[in-house]
Short mmCIF file of all heavy atoms in Angstrom, two decimals:
data_model
loop_
_atom_site.label_atom_id
_atom_site.label_comp_id
_atom_site.label_asym_id
_atom_site.label_seq_id
_atom_site.Cartn_x
_atom_site.Cartn_y
_atom_site.Cartn_z
N ALA E 28 -33.55 86.21 57.93
CA ALA E 28 -33.32 85.73 56.57
C ALA E 28 -32.01 84.96 56.48
O ALA E 28 -31.91 83.92 55.81
CB ALA E 28 -33.33 86.90 55.60
N LYS E 81 -49.30 14.11 39.94
CA LYS E 81 -50.52 13.31 39.90
C LYS E 81 -50.43 12.24 38.82
O LYS E 81 -50.82 11.08 39.04
CB LYS E 81 -51.72 14.23 39.63
CG LYS E 81 -53.05 13.51 39.57
CD LYS E 81 -54.18 14.49 39.31
CE LYS E 81 -55.52 13.77 39.20
NZ LYS E 81 -56.62 14.73 38.91
N THR E 126 -67.33 -21.25 -0.73
CA THR E 126 -68.65 -21.79 -1.07
C THR E 126 -68.88 -21.77 -2.59
O THR E 126 -69.43 -22.73 -3.16
CB THR E 126 -69.74 -20.98 -0.35
OG1 THR E 126 -69.55 -21.08 1.05
CG2 THR E 126 -71.13 -21.51 -0.71
N LEU E 149 -75.67 -25.82 -1.09
CA LEU E 149 -75.77 -26.26 0.30
C LEU E 149 -74.62 -27.17 0.73
O LEU E 149 -74.51 -27.51 1.90
CB LEU E 149 -77.10 -26.99 0.52
CG LEU E 149 -78.37 -26.19 0.21
CD1 LEU E 149 -79.60 -27.06 0.42
CD2 LEU E 149 -78.44 -24.94 1.08
N ILE E 183 -61.41 -35.65 11.74
CA ILE E 183 -62.63 -35.06 11.20
C ILE E 183 -62.34 -33.66 10.65
O ILE E 183 -62.82 -33.29 9.56
CB ILE E 183 -63.72 -35.02 12.29
CG1 ILE E 183 -64.20 -36.43 12.62
CG2 ILE E 183 -64.90 -34.16 11.84
CD1 ILE E 183 -65.15 -36.49 13.79
N PRO E 201 -54.44 -28.22 -13.58
CA PRO E 201 -53.96 -28.47 -14.95
C PRO E 201 -54.45 -29.84 -15.46
O PRO E 201 -54.43 -30.83 -14.74
CB PRO E 201 -52.44 -28.45 -14.80
CG PRO E 201 -52.18 -27.71 -13.54
CD PRO E 201 -53.35 -27.99 -12.64
N SER E 210 -53.64 -17.94 -11.45
CA SER E 210 -54.27 -16.95 -10.58
C SER E 210 -55.65 -17.41 -10.13
O SER E 210 -56.02 -17.24 -8.96
CB SER E 210 -54.36 -15.60 -11.29
OG SER E 210 -55.15 -15.72 -12.48
#
Side-chain angles (χ1 to χ4, degrees):
K81 180 180 178 181
T126 300
L149 301 178
I183 291 173
S210 60

